[in-house]
Amino acid sequence: MSVVRTILFPFEIQGRFFDGYAWAVELANRTHARLQLFTTKDRKGNDAMPGNDLFQILLEAQGHYLQYYHHEDRRSTESKPEPVIVNGDLKEALINYLDDNRVDILIVDPSLQADRKQIREITAHATAAIVLPKSARGMRGRPRSDRFLDMLRRAELHRLPDNFFDTLGQDRSVFNYLRKLFQGNQPS
């Protein structure tokens, strides 16, 4: 059983968050964690972001995951992302959510409209955080397991649980990735 129980992935509906979403789904699957997708809607409740549009975009993100990250040999016991939609400003609502709810790892995607100071403030409220790298360049041609591990290698890690890497190490793709890394076929 995994130490990680809940992973939170905040996103802005207007941003291009598909690679970050796919990475978060893959992390949840590999660690057998619950994945929550956090976003906000207009405080006034008007039709600035109707629910159907949100779920359409989440379906597109799931399609991106299936196309570029999903392993055909993975069992059907994959985690099912749970949307968490609240009113208000994303940064303020996210900090309040982190203060009020148990979240084991927060995943910060570079598509969030936040500067470095705001990201530091958000990650300070998280138990643990992974800030994904800004670029997923060169990822489309890589084997699916390498995409996940390459992003992890380039990410900023903040206060991860002690046995986080032990949990990930139970996956054989980690061994293959490290073998290529040390043989000189370094993933870029």
Side-chain angles (χ1 to χ4, degrees), residues 34-54:
R34 184 174 138 208
L35 176 61
Q36 295 179 332
L37 306 173
F38 184 91
T39 194
T40 57
K41 62 181 181 179
D42 190 343
R43 287 181 202 261
K44 298 171 187 143
N46 62 19
D47 290 338
M49 185 190 70
N52 289 342
D53 289 346
L54 172 65

